[in-house]
Amino acid sequence: MPTEPTACRPTTGRAPRAGWALLGLLLTAPCPFGPARADELLDLPFDDLLQVEVASAGKRDEQIRNIPASVSILTREEIARYGYVTLEDLLRNVPGFFILDNTEDRFIGNRGTVGGGVQFLVNGIPQHPSRQKGLSVPEIARLNIPVESIDRIEVIRGPMSVIYGNNAFLGVINIVTNSLATSGPRASVSAGSRDSGQLFARLGGRARDGFLVLNAGGWRTDGLGGDYADMMSPAQLAALDPAMHRDLDGDLWQRRGSLDLSAGWRGFSTDVRYSEMDYGIYALTPPFDQGSALRLKTLHAALGYAYRFSDNLGLRLTGIHSQETYDAYRLDLLFAGLEGSQRQHARRWELEFDLHWQPDERLSMLFGYRWRLLDHLDNRPQTPPIIVRDIQSDALDQQDLFTEIGYDLTKSLRLVGGARLTQLPEAYRFTQYNALDGTLTETALPTSDRNLINGRVAALWSLDSSQVLKLIWGNAAQDVDSTRISDPERIETVELNYVRTAPRWTLSASLFQNRTSSIVRTIQTLDPATGAYGIGYDNSGLWLTRGLEWTTELRPWPGVNLSLDATWQQTDDRRSDLEPGYSPALLVKLKADYRRGDFIYAAYAHYVDAMESDWDFVTGPIAGVIERLGERVPATWNLGLNLRWEPSGQGVYAALNVSNLLNTEIRYPASELTNLARGLIGPGRILTATLGYAF
Amino acid sequence: MSSQPLDGLLRRALIRCLLSMLMVLSAPPAVAETAVEPLKVAYLYNFTRFIDWPDPAPGSPFVIAVLDDAPLAEALRALEREHRRAEDRSIAIREISATDRIGDCQILFVGAAAQDRLPSLLAAVANKPILLVGDSPGLARRGIAINFFLKPDILGEGQRLRFEMNPAALAGRGLKVSSQLYDVARVLP
């Protein structure tokens, strides 16, 4: 056992000074990370030796081969090589992914669909639900994770509702921030264009029976800029009030802070994560004064316990509480002097039991139960004289039973099948008080089918030790936030995935088809009597997407890594025969890096094809008239460079990153909130310098 | 009670709490995760505590021979460096690459590259008091007494080193194996 450090004896000294001394010791003490030495293992009791986990260099390739889905894994080393500044930057360079910006939110898209369909996990803990009835809370808070804190990202494509429930619609992204085997305590500081800057620190350590990791980070930027004359149509420009801002400069600032703590002791684990974002948004019109601003606060707290009855039987219990507050504390739009706000809030309570059983070597089973309660669902838009309402939803109780069974039919063929039964609430109930006219409205939206079943079947055929062919069928559900539609959206996917791993290269190719149904549509109906349009909703939308994903990684020479990823997809709207909005046909990602001595030189590029904005379907006397929210935005290439200096064994590192090196004009298609007809202009060239030290 | 002693108590409690945290964080290096070679070394070293070999010649070392697995042989040399003992004898590591050089040893580790020569190897050590250990799929069924394998954790948290035992491969060698070893092994029928 270590001797008690003399400097920290509790009999003398003032507490704050002792605290700083302890912090210093934690940062400067030799770090007990990395593989254990043989001499330490030799003295362990045999029973303890049996519990030691084996670090495996081939784990990444094994996961890519063995998970019954199309999978990408990014390691800390890869993330550092390319120097991504934010999680958005990182995800833009993940095969098959693209991200759209509407200033309030970031919409993550893949396989032809965008927004809300990816379930985020942090250290395996599902993050706050992205879709909740009656609320319009953006999911940008899921992206408020400092890149420096990320040890690994696992991206699983395709419907995963069987394991993760509703909203794991298009895939799952698990962000690991507590792997001390990957990286230990460190601190870094960054500064860059657009007055951006970042601070990050990690503390942590391991003992024989536990570990503790604390990540803290903050980021700021002046955000996007540009003249509205370059983004609006002539008609929009002509309608502007002369007192409105003429450019975005300074209106889309962002401040982000996050703190996450992950700890384990014997079978217990806890993950606590707090995120706060304060940022400017564009809302319907340019502002007059300080601009509209929004504060998002999210708290997650999870407590888990894992117990292994034997090597073949284990139980995991997880309790999660999360709450999210959306506070649009300053609304500056439409006309001068408007004072308004909107506050939304939601809480989640969740309890999950997972029983893993492997009765023999060929058979593995998972049985799970989840109870979830969503409560304190409030939405209070307060913008007189336009709207002053207090909308409250009754608490929503949901229960899920699920199972997944895997069986090795032969040495080379594994079958995996699973199902999840979700019992939805009997009805969604809302109470709305309209302060402008003093009316109180109570609405009950009954659920048409309370028992929702999702399934997933996969066959994994190992052609040899390096090749596997996966045939996958699965479906999933996604809650809709509309208060007029109760049924969730549905997706059904068939996929054929081939993976080949070799020492110098890896190939993954997927052919997939998605059938997305029950999509909520907005229909504008012209009332001939009044000449006004009324907005209606139905969920008859039906999309069919076919596509091909191709991922190749090459390691041709020591120190050199290359990758080429391309995703082609075609989405057809079976109800309108129109091209769906926000659905680029082709995405390409290229990466190359070279390590020589203490330097790593990296270049990366991503291509996003042209895409349309969303549209309103108009019915009535002029049936079939379609109005897009904005123009088609052109395809763009975004090239980035990163130079990293990392002298071996010294801890210090520095990086210089340039994103959008060629200053290409990137446009995001118009959306309901950011209705700039020619598209919002994205970030130009951004230079970021980082200096860090790994203790 | 005045507030000053209370402050002192609180301060001491805070410092003790921080000290406890420091002790946890600065505890000996973790053994929660390791490379596989040092773990195999620890298992092999532990096997010497659960198995009795026939009485040796006086003064002779306890020899662990490694056939065609240089990384493991290198890891095993930690036993020599640390002057560890097995059956109250000093431990000697011998790296070999041919079956005709097996000689006298108490444990023979058969590397994956030597699988093709398994029949001649088994013939060379037939009925000798040698514990044969391997780490390749199917070796236990082919006559190796203890065969390592990696087993994924039931809760999906990594993988752990396990071993299977073939009692038939131990029979007739004069080795006495503790039942505790069978308790934690996957025993072939």
Side-chain angles (χ1 to χ4, degrees), chain A residues 115 141 165 182 200 257 314 318 340 387 401 424 432 455 504 520 556 591 633:
Chain A
T182 306
F200 171 77
T318 311
I387 184 170
L401 273 174
L424 298 172
Q432 178 173 278
R504 290 193 170 187
V520 176
K591 292 181 201 165
V633 299

Side-chain angles (χ1 to χ4, degrees), chain A residues 317-370:
Chain A
L317 312 176
T318 311
I320 305 173
H321 170 69
S322 62
Q323 50 180 291
E324 191 155 58
T325 304
Y326 166 106
D327 184 10
Y329 58 91
R330 192 171 64 226
L331 293 178
D332 181 1
L333 67 160
L334 294 175
F335 53 83
L338 179 78
E339 287 189 2
S341 67
Q342 183 178 13
R343 191 177 165 86
Q344 303 182 69
H345 182 252
R347 291 197 319 189
R348 168 184 62 151
W349 303 89
E350 195 166 298
L351 200 57
E352 181 164 322
F353 300 80
D354 298 312
L355 182 73
H356 297 257
W357 185 30
Q358 191 176 14
D360 69 49
E361 288 303 309
R362 298 165 67 177
L363 182 64
S364 61
M365 294 191 266
L366 161 68
F367 301 99
Y369 167 79
R370 187 183 77 177

Side-chain angles (χ1 to χ4, degrees), chain A residues 8 22 26 36 39 43 49-56 181 206-207 306 308 311-312 316 356 358 361, chain B residues 11 18-19 22 24-25 30-34 43 46 82 84 151 153-155 157-160 162 186:
Chain A
C8 299
L22 286 169
L26 280 175
D39 57 337
D43 295 323
L49 206 56
L50 292 167
Q51 302 309 318
V52 174
E53 191 180 320
V54 177
S56 170
R206 286 194 304 205
R308 293 163 182 83
D311 270 2
N312 302 321
R316 188 194 304 281
H356 297 257
Q358 191 176 14
E361 288 303 309
Chain B
R11 188 182 300 144
L18 288 169
L19 273 173
L22 178 70
V24 168
L25 296 179
V31 288
E33 189 178 67
T34 182
Y43 271 63
N46 269 275
E82 291 204 6
R84 299 276 176 166
K151 182 173 175 59
D153 173 55
I154 187 69
L155 296 177
E157 294 173 359
Q159 48 189 355
R160 291 182 170 78
R162 295 288 180 263
R186 183 202 291 167

Side-chain angles (χ1 to χ4, degrees), chain A residues 590-606:
Chain A
L590 300 169
K591 292 181 201 165
D593 65 77
Y594 171 52
R595 176 166 204 139
R596 185 180 171 85
D598 295 337
F599 289 90
I600 301 171
Y601 309 87
Y604 55 97
H606 65 262

Side-chain angles (χ1 to χ4, degrees), chain A residues 424-435:
Chain A
L424 298 172
E426 189 178 337
Y428 300 96
R429 293 189 169 81
F430 310 95
T431 306
Q432 178 173 278
Y433 175 69
N434 186 340

Side-chain angles (χ1 to χ4, degrees), chain A residues 150-170:
Chain A
I150 299 173
D151 299 313
R152 190 172 69 252
I153 292 191
E154 299 152 354
V155 178
I156 304 175
R157 296 179 191 77
M160 296 297 292
S161 281
V162 167
I163 302 297
Y164 299 102
N166 283 10
N167 301 329
F169 197 66
L170 296 167

Side-chain angles (χ1 to χ4, degrees), chain A residues 114 127 255 269 299 302 327 333 371 373 382 421 436 450 455 471 528 535 561 642 690:
Chain A
V114 73
Q127 299 297 282
R255 310 281 181 270
S269 62
L299 172 71
D327 184 10
L333 67 160
W371 167 81
L373 178 74
Q382 311 270 325
L421 171 66
L436 293 178
R450 288 189 68 190
L471 180 62
I535 297 177
N561 298 286
N642 192 64
T690 301

Side-chain angles (χ1 to χ4, degrees), chain A residues 481-493:
Chain A
D481 49 20
S482 167
T483 55
R484 295 169 177 85
I485 305 289
S486 65
D487 295 336
E489 294 177 347
R490 305 301 305 267
I491 193 168
E492 183 179 346
T493 294

